[in-house]
Amino acid sequence: GIGPSNNVMGLLRLNSDGSLDLGFGNSGFVKTSFTGSAVARSGSLLQDGRIVAAGYAESFSASYAAARYLPDGTLDASFGNGGRVSTSVSDQGGAYDSLVQPDGKLVLAGFSRPSSYAFTLTRYNFDGSLDLSFGNQGIAHGFPGTFDDRGATVSITEGGKLIVAGSSGQLLSDRDIGLVQFSNDGMVDRAFGQSGRVFTSISNNADTAFDVK
């Protein structure tokens, strides 16, 4: 997020020599506001050159948020509400990674707190509407009310399953690398690891994963 009150998503585009691409947005920069304070955490590039920025927006609750742009940096009005989507997931949490599936659907991943912190996904159709066939009306939770899982990254397998990785544990000072695999319909894949969940300790401190392939 950039701006005087940290309330807008910010993008910039550079040329191959590192200089600002002055033909993108406003002299190389794009700023997009949401309700509340918005932060962009990840970006995706569609095959046709359109750009997706994703993260979260906060007002009275935590919302997964994304904006889609045409190649020149203008908001894509065919996506969501004037180029933006925002989905309330809980009172706390946020999206930290995103991907565009081969079918064009957009997945946002992170964590939220429906009861305890859980890996959480939202999925959107190409027009920005929530994919109601995914999870519970477009929102999928890993193991709410059971563990303290905080997702940071998402990947898709060749078979279309979604793997979310991050950290898991009851104490912030003693956390393990955690992974949860979801089927393409947003349900936890119970055949993966221990009933859908894998966690690995590397040290006695705060272990986490920031990328998954």
Side-chain angles (χ1 to χ4, degrees):
I2 59 175
S5 58
N6 194 39
N7 62 353
V8 298
M9 285 189 180
L11 290 80
L12 62 85
R13 189 163 71 191
L14 304 177
N15 295 310
S16 58
D17 63 0
S19 61
L20 276 173
D21 179 359
L22 301 181
F24 179 74
N26 183 8
S27 299
F29 293 93
V30 170
K31 298 178 183 180
T32 303
S33 61
F34 287 78
T35 300
S37 180
V39 178
R41 289 287 186 177
S42 69
S44 302
L45 185 65
L46 280 66
Q47 290 185 346
D48 62 7
R50 279 184 271 199
I51 304 159
V52 173
Y56 54 87
E58 296 178 344
S59 52
F60 297 106
S61 64
S63 296
Y64 281 23
R68 193 168 75 195
Y69 306 87
L70 300 175
D72 64 358
T74 57
L75 281 167
D76 180 0
S78 68
F79 179 75
N81 181 11
R84 306 170 181 84
V85 295
S86 181
T87 302
S88 178
V89 291
S90 73
D91 63 333
Q92 293 185 31
Y96 287 80
D97 198 13
S98 63
L99 62 82
V100 178
Q101 295 186 169
D103 60 5
K105 293 182 179 181
L106 172 66
V107 176
L108 306 188
F111 61 92
S112 66
R113 193 180 70 170
S115 50
S116 66
Y117 284 114
F119 291 171
T120 301
L121 300 170
T122 57
R123 190 165 74 187
Y124 304 87
N125 297 309
F126 190 75
D127 64 1
S129 60
L130 271 172
D131 179 2
L132 301 181
S133 69
F134 182 76
N136 182 8
Q137 300 295 298
I139 303 173
H141 297 294
F143 294 87
T146 307
F147 304 102
D148 185 339
D149 291 342
R150 307 192 184 204
T153 179
V154 63
S155 180
I156 189 168
T157 70
E158 290 184 0
K161 295 183 178 181
L162 297 162
I163 299 177
V164 181
S167 66
S168 178
Q170 298 305 313
L171 299 174
L172 290 176
S173 60
D174 184 14
R175 303 185 64 79
D176 299 329
I177 290 175
L179 294 90
V180 174
Q181 181 162 283
F182 296 81
S183 299
N184 192 49
D185 61 1
M187 299 294 107
V188 172
D189 179 8
R190 299 286 178 173
F192 178 78
Q194 299 177 16
S195 298
R197 186 170 177 267
V198 171
F199 50 103
T200 304
S201 177
I202 296 178
S203 69
N204 292 324
N205 297 313
D207 299 330
T208 190
F210 291 101
D211 198 10
V212 61
K213 301 295 185 185

